[in-house]
Amino acid sequence: MHWDRLFADLEDQFASQREAEHAALESEAERLRVSQLSLHERLMTLAARRGEVTVTFTDGLTTTVAVDACGADWVGLRVRDGGAAYLISPVTAIAEIGMPDYLARQATARPPRPSGVAARTTFGYVLRDLARRRIPVAVVTTSGRVLTGTLDRAGVDHVDLAEHDAGAARRATTVTRTSVVAFATIARVRVVEGAHPA
């Protein structure tokens, strides 16, 4: 009887040790997986959850937004500050994201597989679409400059902005100048929801 109890105790100890080792391996595997996540992948996960976060851009602006969409190299953010605006930002222009702890843990989940179209939609493509639709925008640069007007053309790495007052339609008489803005200097493009083509 004494030996049976000893063997049962040893078996319990071995089982506990195996479970602890298995848990440690799983924990280490999870840490390794998370260490390989990019900011873009975390934004994709937040977009799938429509999580409300506080974003700080490279120009210093901090605002509360819902992550609404994610493309190949950009993110779409719905502003929550009471204004009906939408921000389109290159992922590289996001300096910091603040969120509740539970959402930060959820944002480390495996990102959803992007649809073929979303995975190929680049920042340049989105800007070309805004130019085609003649939607008035405000382009904010990483230095903090705000340029208002209508996008005329978008190249591979730059966009032409016909500058005019935010409330004015894009007409030859209202355009004060055309600025060629490099994508690398754009912190975000603000589109007012319901804005009508210029």
Side-chain angles (χ1 to χ4, degrees), residues 20-166:
E21 288 172 359
H22 182 68
L25 285 173
E26 281 184 350
S27 181
E28 185 57 33
E30 178 63 7
R31 276 194 290 277
L32 178 61
R33 186 191 67 76
V34 170
S35 74
Q36 296 171 349
L37 283 175
S38 68
L39 178 60
H40 183 254
E41 289 170 320
R42 295 203 61 187
L43 286 164
M44 287 172 55
T45 303
L46 287 169
R49 288 173 165 55
R50 298 278 196 250
E52 188 169 290
V53 298
T54 302
V55 172
T56 301
F57 296 92
T58 52
D59 70 328
L61 174 77
T62 299
T63 188
T64 302
V65 296
V67 182
D68 200 42
C70 212
D73 57 354
W74 61 274
V75 62
L77 307 165
R78 189 166 304 282
V79 178
R80 297 289 194 192
D81 66 3
Y86 197 79
L87 304 177
I88 302 159
S89 175
V91 172
T92 56
I94 307 261
E96 180 183 327
I97 304 171
M99 66 194 88
D101 187 54
Y102 78 90
L103 191 55
R105 283 192 307 274
Q106 290 177 1
T108 63
R110 294 192 191 287
R113 276 184 115 37
S115 70
V117 173
R120 291 188 309 267
T121 304
T122 64
F123 186 60
Y125 181 89
V126 173
L127 296 184
R128 282 187 284 284
D129 184 59
L130 289 172
R132 181 184 58 78
R133 293 188 291 141
R134 314 298 291 163
I135 303 293
V137 298
V139 175
V140 183
T141 67
T142 54
S143 66
R145 276 190 76 213
V146 179
L147 309 170
T148 61
T150 304
L151 301 176
D152 275 345
R153 293 164 291 280
V156 172
D157 60 356
H158 66 281
V159 65
D160 290 5
L161 177 72
E163 291 187 56
H164 55 78
D165 288 337

